[in-house]
Amino acid sequence: MVSMATAQCATASIITLFLCPFITAAFDKWMQKRQKGIYSPEGWAYDKVKAN
């Protein structure tokens, strides 16, 4: 059972390693587009997005 669990954990780690940056970038772009969170008029990154 230990060897199977080790393989599953390794596979999950590798998948997360490759997918997480793309998911984060897509979510950040979505937040910028809709001016949510830090990109809202009250947020600290509003001026950075507005300048672009």
Side-chain angles (χ1 to χ4, degrees), residues 30-46:
W30 181 83
M31 295 284 281
Q32 284 181 15
K33 194 177 204 181
R34 287 164 181 76
Q35 293 187 343
K36 303 271 186 193
I38 64 170
Y39 301 111
S40 69
E42 297 85 27
W44 62 268
Y46 181 72

Side-chain angles (χ1 to χ4, degrees), residues 16-28:
T16 302
L17 171 78
F18 288 110
L19 289 181
C20 211
F22 295 109
I23 292 169
T24 304
F27 186 68
D28 184 59

Side-chain angles (χ1 to χ4, degrees), residues 6-17:
T6 302
Q8 288 175 344
C9 288
T11 302
S13 297
I14 292 170
I15 290 171
T16 302
L17 171 78

